[in-house]
Amino acid sequence: MDSNGTHKKHKGGRHPKDDPASFRYSISLTAVENAKFLTLFEQSGMNVMAHFIAACIFQKTITTVKIDKAAMDYHVKLTGLFAQFRAIRVNYNQVVKMLYNNFTEKKAAAALYKLENQTIELARLGQKIIELTIEFEANHLNK
């Protein structure tokens, strides 16, 4: 309603901005400067180039996010490995129960001996994974 008590008809469209940006400036960059500018823009994570330029000019804080692809890949594969270790643990418990329920004590002990050797090898592999992870973190993530 307006001041007369009548209803205003909405015409649609955007609401006008209080302070529209109407001043435009043009700059020229060399190929090297442009490459550096585009790299900085990509690292900032901003979506609008005009906002990035305004932030640079008025010295607003610009956050740069650098994603290490190798670290991400390592993390994804390591997470997958731990999921497989959990599955092995569940299967290990089921196998031990089945051996004692379905075989004689002597046959079960022979099969468990083989399973025990494989488990020792798996434990060595797990220790090697831990060592490699510590080395990877020291060399690549703490820079």
Side-chain angles (χ1 to χ4, degrees), residues 1 23 32 40 45 62 64-65 72 90 97 119 129 139 141:
M1 282 199 197
F23 300 99
V32 174
L40 291 172
I62 301 170
T64 58
V65 178
M72 287 290 284
V90 170
K97 287 179 186 176
T119 305
I129 290 170
N139 292 338
L141 298 183

Side-chain angles (χ1 to χ4, degrees), residues 1-12:
M1 282 199 197
D2 63 6
S3 60
N4 298 345
T6 60
H7 292 289
K8 284 187 174 181
K9 187 174 181 183
H10 181 55
K11 294 183 180 181

Side-chain angles (χ1 to χ4, degrees), residues 39 42-46 63-76 136 140-141:
T39 302
E42 289 173 3
Q43 288 176 351
S44 72
M46 296 178 110
T63 57
T64 58
V65 178
K66 187 174 181 182
I67 298 173
D68 187 0
K69 199 73 167 132
M72 287 290 284
D73 291 343
Y74 188 82
H75 175 73
V76 167
F136 181 79
H140 298 287
L141 298 183

Side-chain angles (χ1 to χ4, degrees), residues 3-104:
S3 60
N4 298 345
T6 60
H7 292 289
K8 284 187 174 181
K9 187 174 181 183
H10 181 55
K11 294 183 180 181
R14 289 187 186 177
H15 295 289
K17 293 182 179 180
D18 293 333
D19 186 18
S22 58
F23 300 99
R24 289 178 170 62
Y25 297 94
S26 175
I27 61 169
S28 299
L29 301 174
T30 65
V32 174
E33 291 170 336
N34 187 52
K36 187 174 181 181
F37 170 75
L38 292 175
T39 302
L40 291 172
F41 174 65
E42 289 173 3
Q43 288 176 351
S44 72
M46 296 178 110
N47 295 327
V48 181
M49 199 175 288
H51 295 166
F52 172 72
I53 294 169
C56 288
I57 291 172
F58 297 115
Q59 297 177 350
K60 295 179 183 174
T61 57
I62 301 170
T63 57
T64 58
V65 178
K66 187 174 181 182
I67 298 173
D68 187 0
K69 199 73 167 132
M72 287 290 284
D73 291 343
Y74 188 82
H75 175 73
V76 167
K77 291 185 186 208
L78 191 62
T79 304
L81 267 176
F82 282 115
Q84 289 178 2
F85 276 121
R86 280 193 300 276
I88 289 170
R89 183 183 67 211
V90 170
N91 291 341
Y92 188 91
N93 290 337
Q94 291 174 349
V95 166
V96 170
K97 287 179 186 176
M98 288 172 60
L99 282 174
Y100 279 115
N101 289 337
N102 298 328
F103 295 102
T104 63

